[in-house]
Amino acid sequence: MPAAKFHPLHFTEYPPEEMIQHATDFRLHMQRRRTVRHFADKPVPREIIEECLVTAGTAPSGANLQPWHFVVVSDSKVKQEIRVAAEEEEKDFYNRRAPKEWLEALAPLGTDEHKPFLDVAPYLIAIFGKNHSQLPDGRKVKNYYVHESVGIATGFLIAALHNAGLVSLTHTPSPMGFLNTILNRPSDEKPFLLLVTGFSAKEAEVPVITKKPLDEIATFI
Ligand code: IYR
């Protein structure tokens, strides 16, 4: 087994007031993020998406095995194929599979089986979790905490896109196996979610919702 190698972190400590300011600025910035379902068909420079994906790839992961793969779709034919496949699943979900309780929980969001954003938005980022990794020496090894790791990387990506001035939608057509077929990914990779991103449509509206206050989501002991 190769020995662990370490180098200095060069950690920067800020004065407490500056830390509070940074924390507040970031909170205010993140509080402006909204999930958006109406996109402009305006193109987005690919470099912005690349930068945000590099940020996503900095996420911590089980044994640093980075068990994710991002397929960035901008080709209109492929987006159309994804829309057709997703709408087929969603139709079944909304009309047959979804229990009443689930549909009631979704009602405030106003969603249905129609997913025009899948061919309007300039980019669909299909995020896959990989159950195995190939080491530099060619060995295939198991990945650990795949869901947790991919979830964190996806959170980084959502924050990075928002920071760059784009909006996104975490779309989870269920089941998502069609993404492996359309995007030609091996069966060892499991679709995690489809992140739709681009500019917001000018006339976009978002549902009136609130976030739980701190004392409801956290306990200090
Ligand atoms: N996948 C469906 C349903 C859906 C489920 C949840 I949980 C949401 O937060 C939103 C939608 C759809 O995309 O419409």
Side-chain angles (χ1 to χ4, degrees), residues 37 90 93-94 102 106 109 111-112 115 171-174:
R37 291 183 168 78
E90 296 290 274
F93 171 82
Y94 281 97
W102 194 343
L106 289 179
L109 304 183
T111 56
D112 62 25
K115 305 298 177 193
H171 182 42
T172 50
S174 151

Side-chain angles (χ1 to χ4, degrees), residues 29-164:
H29 182 55
M30 292 304 285
Q31 280 178 328
R32 283 194 296 272
R33 187 203 64 79
R34 290 297 309 261
T35 288
V36 169
R37 291 183 168 78
H38 298 102
F39 291 81
D41 63 0
K42 184 177 149 99
V44 170
R46 173 175 158 157
E47 190 185 353
I48 298 172
I49 304 297
E50 289 176 350
E51 285 289 341
C52 294
L53 287 169
V54 173
T55 300
T58 66
S61 62
N64 191 37
L65 287 166
Q66 306 163 53
W68 40 67
H69 190 79
F70 303 91
V71 181
V72 183
V73 182
S74 58
D75 183 285
S76 347
K77 278 216 315 270
V78 183
K79 286 195 291 179
Q80 174 66 20
E81 255 187 275
I82 291 176
R83 177 178 178 183
V84 169
E87 286 186 333
E88 206 169 300
E89 296 296 359
E90 296 290 274
K91 209 153 126 191
D92 196 45
F93 171 82
Y94 281 97
N95 299 310
R96 266 179 292 278
R97 273 186 292 122
K100 196 165 149 271
E101 197 182 1
W102 194 343
L103 292 178
E104 277 167 13
L106 289 179
L109 304 183
T111 56
D112 62 25
E113 72 259 37
H114 301 291
K115 305 298 177 193
F117 51 76
L118 290 175
D119 49 25
V120 173
Y123 289 106
L124 310 180
I125 307 177
I127 305 172
F128 291 85
K130 294 161 58 126
N131 290 324
H132 297 88
S133 285
Q134 183 112 19
L135 295 185
D137 64 10
R139 270 182 308 138
K140 191 177 163 183
V141 294
K142 191 178 143 34
N143 288 330
Y144 303 97
Y145 297 103
V146 174
H147 259 81
E148 292 81 348
S149 306
V150 180
I152 296 167
T154 300
F156 277 31
L157 180 56
I158 293 167
L161 292 167
H162 169 64
N163 185 57

Side-chain angles (χ1 to χ4, degrees), residues 158-208:
I158 293 167
L161 292 167
H162 169 64
N163 185 57
L166 297 172
V167 296
S168 69
L169 164 64
T170 44
H171 182 42
T172 50
S174 151
M176 282 190 277
F178 64 84
L179 289 174
N180 287 75
T181 316
I182 296 175
L183 303 175
N184 204 14
R185 299 308 303 173
S187 59
D188 190 50
E189 289 184 8
K190 302 288 173 237
F192 181 73
L193 65 77
L194 190 56
L195 196 66
V196 184
T197 192
F199 290 102
S200 171
K202 284 261 177 320
E203 70 283 9
E205 292 192 330
V206 291
V208 179

